Amino acid sequence: MYKACIFDLDGTLTDTLESIAHSVNLTLKQMGLPEITLEQCREFVGSGARRLMENTLRACGDERLARIEEAMDIYSVVFAENCTYHAKPYDGIKEMLGKLKQEGLYLAVLSNKPDGQTRDVVQTFFGTELFDFVQGQKEGIPRKPDPAAVLLIMDKAGVSREECVYIGDSDVDMHTGKNAGVKTVGVSWGFRSKEILRETGADVIIDHPEELTAIVTNRKSEEGKHGRI
């Protein structure tokens, strides 16, 4: 049985794509630039706010990123005000987390979303008692897929690599787990396809949150169904 689960946030625990796209387009409006689509935003997210805005500006024709600092200044304010806009947990997430908590697992969130907004989203939808540790992108700690933050969380939890599972929806997440030397679970309901998750090293891919409960708490009986992790 594993002792700790580290979760990505956007696309894994919460459907936040509309909040991100809304904030990006409000930023572009202030800059006098055309909007991006929801599907473009889906492609651009996952590697932090700056990379999101870099991809966005390129899509708007600013290939040299001449306005990136202006965009970041505006986006940081806009997103702070709109980080929960139309956001919601995916179906079954709260129930799954509750069961894992009852089993005594250490639960953490690690996101490339700015730290303040990560905490806002987690507190809004999950309260303050469910997770043992919550962290977004912040100065001094490299963003995913660098494994530094995962290793920090494992140290805080007092668990080994063999006792930890990293759960996410993207190639960035799968690389993060692999770089940290922990097992990776890809979720199919997020921002990336199953094909991308497989190609980037997911040990297991699940289609519903309840599958994670079985994998984490009853490893032996689930090996035949989900594959050994």
Side-chain angles (χ1 to χ4, degrees), residues 32-88:
L33 295 172
E35 292 187 351
I36 62 170
T37 67
L38 199 63
E39 287 309 306
Q40 283 178 301
C41 188
R42 186 189 300 276
E43 294 176 10
F44 297 163
V45 298
S47 296
R50 190 175 189 89
R51 186 66 59 82
L52 167 65
M53 292 312 302
E54 288 175 353
N55 291 335
T56 297
L57 289 180
R58 290 191 181 100
C60 293
D62 183 7
E63 294 289 344
R64 299 182 64 182
L65 303 178
R67 302 181 69 181
I68 184 61
E69 299 306 330
E70 176 190 358
M72 289 302 300
D73 287 344
I74 297 172
Y75 181 77
S76 64
V77 175
V78 170
F79 190 52
E81 297 172 349
N82 294 276
C83 64
T84 59
Y85 174 84
H86 287 192
K88 61 182 179 180

Side-chain angles (χ1 to χ4, degrees), residues 7 13 97 107-109 122 126 128-134:
F7 293 89
L13 297 176
L97 292 172
L107 302 181
V109 172
V122 171
F126 304 108
T128 59
E129 302 299 322
L130 189 58
F131 288 101
D132 299 285
F133 186 85
V134 177

Side-chain angles (χ1 to χ4, degrees), residues 9-11 13-19 85-90 191:
L9 182 60
D10 298 327
L13 297 176
T14 51
D15 185 354
T16 52
L17 189 61
E18 283 194 52
S19 69
Y85 174 84
H86 287 192
K88 61 182 179 180
Y90 288 102
F191 299 163

Side-chain angles (χ1 to χ4, degrees), residues 5 11 34 38 40 60 78 120 144 147-148 158-159 162 192 199-200 222:
C5 290
L38 199 63
Q40 283 178 301
C60 293
V78 170
D120 286 346
K144 301 181 294 183
V159 301
E162 292 75 21
R192 298 290 186 268
E199 289 170 1
T200 53
E222 291 298 312

Side-chain angles (χ1 to χ4, degrees), residues 34 42 64 80 98 101 121-122 125 128 149 162 173 189 209 212 217:
R42 186 189 300 276
R64 299 182 64 182
K101 193 70 173 179
V121 171
V122 171
F125 296 112
T128 59
E162 292 75 21
D173 293 314
W189 56 81
L212 181 65
T217 62

